[in-house]
Amino acid sequence: MAGGFRIKRVHDDPSPQDGERVLVDRLWPRGVSKERAALDEWAKDAAPSNELRKWFHEAPDERREEFADRYTAELDGPDQSKKLDELRARAAKHTVTLLTATKDVEHSHVPVLLKQLKRK
């Protein structure tokens, strides 16, 4: 049974449809306990580096396109590639929900990550 990927905010209630729940943020989300998050994994290697994250948040509207390029390059690194391969393998078997604390998920790192996950 194939699952694939879903995206959800970590602040939203967990549901049985989530399958495996994987946090893809570098920082732990404020105000969310580990119990409430109900994570199967915290995939820091799939998140943007601290330097890139801080740079992007200084001017997200102006830097969105360059951020996507830089983050894609980071995801080609050995640790990141290994993590993406692991996530792809899991999603081939069942649903994997990528969790983020970002309020504006559409304009965050998550769509870039999802594009890379679906690339291979």
Side-chain angles (χ1 to χ4, degrees):
M1 177 186 132
F5 293 101
R6 296 178 54 185
I7 298 173
K8 192 172 184 177
R9 290 196 67 232
V10 70
H11 296 89
D12 296 338
D13 290 332
S15 72
Q17 293 78 28
D18 291 345
E20 286 193 34
R21 294 170 51 87
V22 179
L23 180 64
V24 293
D25 289 347
R26 179 77 47 184
L27 303 176
W28 185 262
R30 288 185 185 164
V32 177
S33 69
K34 293 197 185 217
E35 294 77 25
R36 171 133 170 56
L39 295 183
D40 293 291
E41 181 180 358
W42 183 6
K44 291 181 190 178
D45 283 340
S49 65
N50 282 325
E51 298 78 19
L52 182 58
R53 180 183 55 78
K54 290 174 185 176
W55 173 83
F56 178 57
H57 285 287
E58 290 171 5
D61 292 333
E62 295 83 23
R63 296 178 174 177
R64 188 164 285 118
E65 195 172 313
E66 186 176 349
F67 168 78
D69 292 343
R70 288 184 181 192
Y71 181 37
T72 298
E74 282 189 357
L75 290 172
D76 286 336
D79 293 340
Q80 295 82 356
S81 292
K82 181 180 176 189
K83 180 50 62 187
L84 268 56
D85 288 344
E86 290 172 11
L87 291 171
R88 285 184 196 104
R90 289 158 65 179
K93 297 175 185 168
H94 44 79
T95 301
V96 174
T97 299
L98 306 176
L99 300 168
T100 182
T102 307
K103 290 180 182 162
D104 186 4
V105 176
E106 184 180 334
H107 296 109
S108 73
H109 69 288
V110 180
V112 178
L113 173 60
L114 187 60
K115 182 178 177 182
Q116 291 306 106
L117 284 166
K118 291 180 175 181
R119 186 177 71 173
K120 293 182 181 178

